Amino acid sequence: MQHSSCRLALSLRLAALALPLALPALAQAPRDSVVVCQTLEPPILDPAGGAAAAIREVTYDNVFETLLAFNAEGRIEPRLAEKIESSADGLIHTITLRSGVTFHDGAALTAEDVKFSFERAMAPDSKNSQKWIFAPIDRIEARDTRTVIITLKSYVGDFLDGLAWADATIFSAKSADKAATEPVGTGPYQLVRWNRGDRLVLKRNENYWGRKPAIANATFRFISDPQAQVAALTAGDCDAHTNLSAPEAVPQLRANPNLRVSIGRTEGETIVAMNNGKAPFNNPKVREAISKAIDRAQVNEGAISGFGTLIGTHFSPNHPAYVDLTGAVKHDPAAAKKLLAEAGYPNGFSVTLRLPPPAYAQRGGEIVAAMLGQVGIKVSIEPVQWAQWLERVFRQRDYDLTIIAHVEPLDINIYARDGYYFGYVSEAVKAAVARTKSAKTEAERIAAYQEAQRLITADHVNVYLFMLPKITVSRAGLKGMWNNWPVPANPLAQLSWE
């Protein structure tokens, strides 16, 4: 992935007029409908109002758009911004919006909408889960209908990168309050209906500013049960599944001539998260003991049939700054027991493992619980629905342990956030993360990322398991599904039937 602001600025100048990829409909009897299935249903449809990846899977580059956007290769390209010019010191960014862009309700996109959207995200009562994107902003000026000037308080190397995240979605002031259930965006698709617990139906935006998508009608179906996902694909009820939860079914599905299977990458660092802010997890020896008690290779095999890539820190192997720390913490139950005794828990203790719905978490949780039991830690497993996980674990920090994949790119900065659900505080990590943003060269930035990786691994903040794979299954003849997930997204405008 490219994360250098210098490279980004250059690519913007070279590709200022670039439009998102959309394949034309075939001349002879084209199919113009598709049913895309995914594991989780979004709790809301406002990507700036919640942290759930499922929101982005449905809305990113479909219903809503951002000034910049990630493409399938993880590179950043223009979207609503026609061009961005930055001052020599990197403090002032002048954004020129595309002309002729309208929201689904017919309102024209203006610089005031950008100003409103970012100020909405920056507001004290904002529920935006990535406020770091907007924290550097000093002021926003709508110079004219198509020109936005953003002035930063200080230089931040990845500021423009943040404008490609779904959390930087552009809304209209008159419709933003209803975005959770009645989204009105500028994207190539607009909402028809949302049958909660079942499906969400979109139709092509015939007034879209970009190329006309080949798919006119799209349905997202939500199927959480892994075997039901396989059955729906086999029966033809799903034209594609974005990320199959039944990796053990891959050989069966690959043998089906009507289906195509790809194993790709995500940015999803899958971890056993520990509540560092409460006893006994505020004791580094306890966290180290838990890390040594868990055999990551076995969890990878049992939870996702070995399709994950083992990691030893919260950083993607896809990035050039990645440090391979998979050998830093070895599976050693005897050492784990000794550490627990040194920490004052010779007989172990009892904990609750709250697990969200994804199969990797449910299956992985059973394996992790058994391994912790072998060193004296008695684990009570509590499955929770996604909305409960977001409220109790993520927002209220009401948990001991949980298993979750963090799918945002370059999200090691969460370890520097006060009040984050890990409950972890380290001035050294904060300083390293700050240097990733203030660095003026790529070498400086990489060094800072590498220091942050080593620090969180040495502190055993969480147990780093594996990178979540993307197992995409699609019907033969359907083109354009993303094989990899640089961000959780399923841009429908890139789909077409052969």
Side-chain angles (χ1 to χ4, degrees), residues 293-295 298-299 331 333 353 363-381:
I294 295 173
D295 186 334
Q298 286 192 27
V299 179
H331 178 229
L353 175 60
R363 296 175 181 182
E366 296 285 348
I367 301 167
V368 166
M371 290 175 176
L372 294 180
Q374 291 173 0
V375 301
I377 300 174
K378 295 170 281 295
V379 179
S380 173
I381 292 178

Side-chain angles (χ1 to χ4, degrees), residues 204-254:
R204 184 169 57 202
N205 173 15
E206 300 298 341
N207 296 315
Y208 183 55
W209 59 268
R211 295 178 184 174
K212 182 179 180 180
I215 300 298
N217 302 288
T219 299
F220 281 97
R221 284 190 60 194
F222 311 115
I223 305 176
S224 59
D225 181 76
Q227 297 313 311
Q229 294 173 9
V230 175
L233 285 163
T234 304
D237 295 332
C238 295
D239 294 315
H241 197 289
T242 61
N243 195 5
L244 190 73
S245 298
E248 69 279 0
V250 165
Q252 166 195 344
L253 296 171
R254 277 180 166 161

Side-chain angles (χ1 to χ4, degrees), residues 39 44 125 200 262 276 353-354 361 372 384 392 473:
T39 300
I44 60 173
D125 61 348
L200 183 146
S262 72
N276 288 228
L353 175 60
R354 293 209 163 102
L372 294 180
V384 294
R392 294 184 65 184
V473 185

